[in-house]
Amino acid sequence: MTDNSYRAESITVLKDLEAVVKRPAMYIGDVGSRGLHHLLVEVLDNSIDEALAGFCNLIKVIIHIDGSVTVIDNGRGIPVDIHPELKIPGVEVVMTILHSGGKFDNKSYKVSGGLHGVGISVVNALSNFLDVIVKRDGHIYQQRYEKGRKVSELQIIGDTLDLGTEITFLPNPEIFETTQFENEIIITRLKELAFLNKGLKIIFSDERTNITEEYFYEGGIISFVNHLNRNKNVLHKEPIYLNIDKLNTKIEVALQYNDGYQESVFSFVNNINTIEGGSHLSGFKTALTRVLNDYSLKNMNHKNGENLTGDDAREGLVAIISVRMHSPQFEGQTKTKLGNSNIKGIVDSNVYDGLSHFFEENPSTAKTIIFKAINAARAREAARKARELTRRKSVLDSGSLPGKLADCQEKDPSKSEVFIVEGDSAAGTGIASRDRKFQAIFPLRGKILNVEKARLDKIFNNEEITSLISALGCGIGEEFDSSKLRYHKIIILTDADSDGNHISTLLLTFFYRNMPKLIENGYLFIAQPPLYRVVKGTSTHYVKDDIKLQKLLKEIGSDKVIIQRFKGLGEMDSDELQETVMDLNKRILKKVIIEDAVYADQIFSILMGDEVEPRREFIFKHAINVKNLDV
Ligand code: 0RA
């Protein structure tokens, strides 16, 4: 009987894990870099859950030379006792049964829905090996899996009074397109987690490069806001902080204004970055706008109809809102939008009360902030007038396309693409090599305006930008309308040198700030033109960087090869450009994703902000990573 049920059990386990191997994208989103990093996030989330529940204050992440990763925590340790129904140790349940990774109790703020919390069994199924060590009940337990199947029974390998879990896994290269873990992605997430969980220490080491870093922030999200504002001139010394605990929902808010024009508001639910926002973010925004308007009406003799909009209230604002709650519902394209509608009201009324109270107690800070918003309102009015003027000049009229756009014949946006090409000569080659049926060319002349520094009114006076906007057809800012977009692939094509990099970063900044939906919808791409042409005998290869070049030379042998390095797109003839950039079957495009809005914003403010010093530091630090940056 026992034997039978055990066998029945192992059959379902195999079926579960086979389903994961068969359709990995269903469980982790995709099998590219994003999916790969999701494996680590999945393991990490379990350790974070222990921290949230108050049992863990140290997490270590180690990348090994062979590409495997270890996550160590000092939580309670995965249970090792025999599961009463399944008759196998708890740790085996967690490793082999889908969605079983969660706590069996219901006390912690467990994540649910979407890609989040699919369970460690998914990581196990997609790994060549997974080793687990549990410290619990006075012993050290160990077990090993290969491709999801156990290859040893859980055994005691020593004694200890410590508690904790240690998991090491090596992603299966037959499943993933890339198995290269990237420090920048990992470090951004670890820092974010350390900010969001005050008192938690996270240690990251990379044995490939001998880097070790530690993240620990006593101030929690207050430190987060200080960090985001570190290169800015702030309007009040300390971030405003609210800590609300209502109806089993914890809401933390930290905010601080700087003298810039951008808004950087990041929202989280149970440590997940809700890039698409949702009910908690709407509640916060509504409350902030209402407090500013009410305070200025009551205390600032400001009744001449200058109503502050949400955008006015958030100009120069840096804020973090972090919510912890039971059973969050995640919606949206990337499952990062909070759907629970009751949260809006809870956040709205409590943030309104907390902020009003703060303003009453700190009238000079309140006034500084409101003056800033009133200025924004006036600038908004100026921008509206400038826009109207531009419109009258018919530059933005949806009917008239800019003269320099070489449009395609196709009218269906989903079948059309546009290349934004740096310089007239490269654009000429582009026009000669494209398929005019569905490929349009937009030549960009010189540098576009640095939009981080400029307000909308200036943006509308820049001709490069206005003609780009009319070429795309979708409008900008609050008037952005995705359904009017004329191309569903917008491809940035620049030289692989420092000028090209700069232009491409400027364009990214522009899109990120003014048409974020375009990125969220997956419409923005960066072309990867090759850096080298390698000819050996009758065969020609194009490779995009030095690493790929070395790899190729190893494969084909380095004797009797002719290697040409392209200095710019201008050096390619139209056949070469056609083959490497236009040809759907041969080209490589990089899709731009706002996987991590915090990271994107950081890069943009570091590279594009006012302060010169951090920018120089950044370029210096990353110069080795940015290939062909010929500064
Ligand atoms: C199930 C139940 C309990 C803890 C865990 C799982 C757990 C899982 C992981 C994964 C990585 N680190 C982990 N730490 C803990 C609760 C155990 C109890 O009640 O003592």
Side-chain angles (χ1 to χ4, degrees), residues 43-44 46-48 50 71 73 75-79 94-95 100-105 120 136 164-167:
V43 176
L44 209 51
N46 286 275
S47 302
I48 291 292
E50 285 295 285
V71 178
D73 68 57
R76 287 169 290 183
I78 306 177
V94 169
M95 292 303 161
S100 62
K103 307 293 173 285
F104 307 121
D105 60 29
I120 298 188
R136 211 184 143 105
T165 305
E166 174 173 335
I167 293 170

Side-chain angles (χ1 to χ4, degrees), residues 481-502:
D481 182 352
S482 201
S483 70
K484 291 201 181 129
L485 183 64
R486 305 181 58 249
Y487 314 92
H488 283 187
K489 277 208 177 83
I490 298 157
I491 304 163
I492 298 174
L493 174 59
T494 60
D495 285 341
D497 59 10
S498 68
D499 258 8
N501 270 334
H502 189 198

Side-chain angles (χ1 to χ4, degrees), residues 15 233 265 410 545 580 583:
K15 268 204 189 129
N233 298 316
V265 180
E410 177 62 60
D545 58 36
T580 59
D583 188 328

